[in-house]
Amino acid sequence: MSGDRLESPPVTGEGNGVVSHDKKTASVMVPSQRLRLHPNKDHMPESYEDLQLDFSPSVFRSLEKYLPPNMLSDSREDKVKFMRDILLKYLPHGERTRAQKHREYRQKIISHYKPLKRELYLMHPVTFFVPSFMKAINDNTEESLRSIISEPSPGVLTFEMLQPRFCELLVAEVENFEAWVNDTKFRIMRPNTMNKYGAVLDDFGLETMLDKLMNGFIRPISKVFFREVGGANLDSHHGFVVEYGKDWDVDLGFHVDDSEVTLNVCLGKQFSGGELFFRGTRCDKHVNTGSKPEEIFDYSHVPGRAVLHLGRHRHGVRATTSGHRINLLLWCRSSVFREIRKYQKDFSSWCGECVQEKKGRQRAFIAATKSELLRQDGESVA
């Protein structure tokens, strides 16, 4: 769990039921040119794997279900253009240039780095996951998923997930990659602006495996527990490992993640300390507000055991007092939710402070109504 410090602009909303793909033209666009708020579940999206795109093909597949009905039969090129215009709002020109350079950087690594554990680069569920997790995913019911998941604090899910063998393989691969980086004097990008140690797994070939992890295993859980933030429509990810200890990062400050849903799994090794501390989920408007007693929770890592929480669930890492801890992080994102969020009304259902504000206004309204009725009743008697 790593991410951005608690500094974010507030979200503004229009709540108009449809989402424009361009604010400048929103006033003149007809409804048929806007995204739907709800997906067309019967529509089978096209494949975009063979195209050179600015975004992952899975993003386009996911977003296609939200196209207006009259566009579903359009050519693939027309659909790509429409969706690309929406997605590029999140990637200004300067960012697009940076993204292109990052793709070139990633390709340079992949063309020179020789993987140590090639079985990691393909998804092998039976050897990756513990049997209880596999059974729950295969049964694919809300009941089966709830049977393996604990919720020790509101919005913090924990469950047994990874087999020890997988943890060992991934740690070995990361150490091999770091040795290659040191030997070749290759300068790598760290996972985020807060962690000085660790590596981006997508950068050296594990992107496809992690994409399958998100789509096949994290999305079914998020669909049940985190639907209100687009958990059913996760379509892109950022996968990395972080390392804590005397010779690595020691702790991590209070922050939120750039994700809708964050998966955090301890891989090992031997360590003490390093607990996660949670302090409640907040929207942009309330990100720096105080925490309520029921939102305060500390979690101690156990190798192979996963923690799943909203990216906007404020958290941090206490100091690792001894040893070396390595964790796998997967930030899962929903382009649909990010588009729709800009048009939401006040009172986000997933923000603790918004919920309290809504309840406060409801109580005030009820009290005012009751007072007015009593006044009218008194006048009637008089």
Side-chain angles (χ1 to χ4, degrees), residues 263-290:
L263 171 72
N264 185 341
V265 194
C266 182
L267 303 175
K269 303 179 175 179
Q270 297 295 320
F271 61 91
S272 58
E275 298 87 356
L276 281 177
F277 61 89
F278 292 92
R279 295 296 183 266
T281 307
R282 296 291 187 272
C283 64
D284 294 310
K285 178 181 177 182
H286 299 118
V287 71
N288 287 307
T289 56

Side-chain angles (χ1 to χ4, degrees), residues 98-355:
R98 187 194 65 80
Q100 176 59 33
K101 290 182 178 178
H102 189 208
R103 284 193 291 270
E104 295 170 357
Y105 154 85
R106 180 175 292 182
Q107 187 55 47
K108 185 176 181 181
I109 291 179
I110 293 175
S111 60
H112 290 85
Y113 173 68
K114 295 181 180 179
L116 178 67
K117 307 292 184 181
R118 291 191 177 275
E119 59 266 44
L120 277 176
Y121 293 75
L122 300 173
M123 175 55 71
H124 298 293
V126 175
T127 57
F128 282 14
F129 306 118
V130 297
S132 60
F133 180 77
M134 278 300 305
K135 184 179 186 308
I137 293 295
N138 288 334
D139 290 347
N140 196 29
T141 66
E142 181 173 342
E143 182 181 6
S144 69
L145 294 173
R146 289 187 181 278
S147 71
I148 65 165
I149 290 175
S150 299
E151 191 170 3
S153 181
V156 180
L157 312 182
T158 66
F159 48 94
E160 299 297 331
M161 182 179 181
L162 297 180
Q163 293 196 28
R165 175 60 177 162
F166 174 82
C167 295
E168 293 169 1
L169 289 175
L170 187 51
V171 168
E173 189 67 48
V174 169
E175 292 177 340
N176 186 65
F177 175 68
E178 291 177 336
W180 175 82
V181 168
N182 291 330
D183 291 343
T184 59
K185 301 296 189 293
F186 195 96
R187 185 177 179 180
I188 65 168
M189 297 181 184
R190 295 303 177 182
N192 51 69
T193 58
M194 297 179 70
N195 286 96
K196 297 179 181 178
Y197 295 89
V200 179
L201 300 177
D202 299 317
D203 285 348
F204 59 95
L206 287 166
E207 181 178 16
T208 299
M209 186 273 284
L210 293 177
D211 202 44
K212 292 179 179 178
L213 171 61
M214 178 189 71
N215 290 326
F217 302 91
I218 303 307
R219 188 156 60 191
I221 300 175
S222 300
K223 181 179 180 179
V224 172
F225 291 92
F226 300 128
R227 181 181 294 274
E228 68 275 18
V229 298
N233 306 295
L234 302 176
D235 52 24
S236 64
H237 74 267
H238 175 50
F240 56 96
V241 293
V242 290
E243 300 185 67
Y244 290 91
K246 180 182 177 182
D247 298 322
W248 297 270
D249 289 314
V250 176
D251 56 18
L252 196 64
F254 192 45
H255 67 282
V256 294
D257 297 338
D258 183 14
S259 69
E260 272 59 78
V261 178
T262 292
L263 171 72
N264 185 341
V265 194
C266 182
L267 303 175
K269 303 179 175 179
Q270 297 295 320
F271 61 91
S272 58
E275 298 87 356
L276 281 177
F277 61 89
F278 292 92
R279 295 296 183 266
T281 307
R282 296 291 187 272
C283 64
D284 294 310
K285 178 181 177 182
H286 299 118
V287 71
N288 287 307
T289 56
S291 300
K292 298 170 180 60
E294 63 271 20
E295 295 177 320
I296 298 174
F297 175 66
D298 283 18
Y299 171 80
S300 298
H301 287 289
V302 177
R305 189 169 180 80
V307 183
L308 197 69
H309 61 85
L310 295 181
R312 300 295 306 189
H313 202 139
R314 303 176 301 176
H315 57 287
V317 182
R318 301 195 186 283
T320 298
T321 53
S322 66
H324 181 196
R325 178 169 66 84
I326 304 179
N327 278 48
L328 164 65
L329 277 293
L330 192 67
W331 286 354
C332 303
R333 298 159 175 159
S334 168
S335 57
V336 171
F337 174 73
R338 293 189 175 207
E339 173 70 13
I340 292 175
R341 188 177 68 177
K342 299 184 305 175
Y343 302 89
Q344 69 184 4
K345 296 180 180 179
D346 289 340
F347 307 122
S348 298
S349 62
W350 47 270
C351 171
E353 200 68 22
C354 277
V355 171

